[in-house]
Amino acid sequence: MLPTEPTERPPASIRSARMQDLVRAALAILDDEGREALTMRRLAEDLSMRAPSLYKHVQDKAALEAALIEDVLFEMGNVLHAALARPGRRG
């Protein structure tokens, strides 16, 4: 059975400020232009960096994608927790 009350939020990954910038910029590219537009080279250009410099902050594109997925799932969790906490909801 699914919980009807919010459960404790698991801890998010600890990220450097630069990694947070990478994830925000990658999400902006995805939102604006779709997944085909998100390349490491494009991300570097948007951040005024050279593509090889990205790898000082993220292991590879798969690690960046995992960070994006984590952020989206946490945001979904926030929305669901707010919905569960809303007065007058049906349970």
Side-chain angles (χ1 to χ4, degrees):
M1 182 169 184
L2 295 174
T4 58
E5 297 299 322
T7 57
E8 185 175 327
R9 179 184 175 143
S13 298
I14 297 172
R15 298 185 189 143
S16 68
R18 180 52 112 182
M19 181 59 177
Q20 291 173 7
D21 291 343
L22 295 177
V23 172
R24 277 192 294 270
L27 188 56
I29 293 169
L30 288 172
D31 282 345
D32 294 344
E33 300 175 45
R35 67 182 178 91
E36 295 300 322
L38 180 59
T39 64
M40 297 303 270
R41 185 177 310 264
R42 170 63 192 283
L43 180 60
E45 288 173 9
D46 281 13
L47 293 168
S48 300
M49 297 173 68
R50 296 180 50 152
S53 298
L54 292 176
Y55 297 100
K56 294 177 185 175
H57 308 286
V58 64
Q59 184 177 356
D60 54 22
K61 188 175 179 184
L64 176 65
E65 290 168 341
L68 286 162
I69 292 166
E70 180 183 32
D71 281 8
V72 169
L73 289 174
F74 269 111
E75 183 59 31
M76 286 173 54
N78 290 339
V79 169
L80 293 171
H81 278 228
L84 285 173
R86 194 172 47 234
R89 69 176 176 83
R90 295 179 190 191

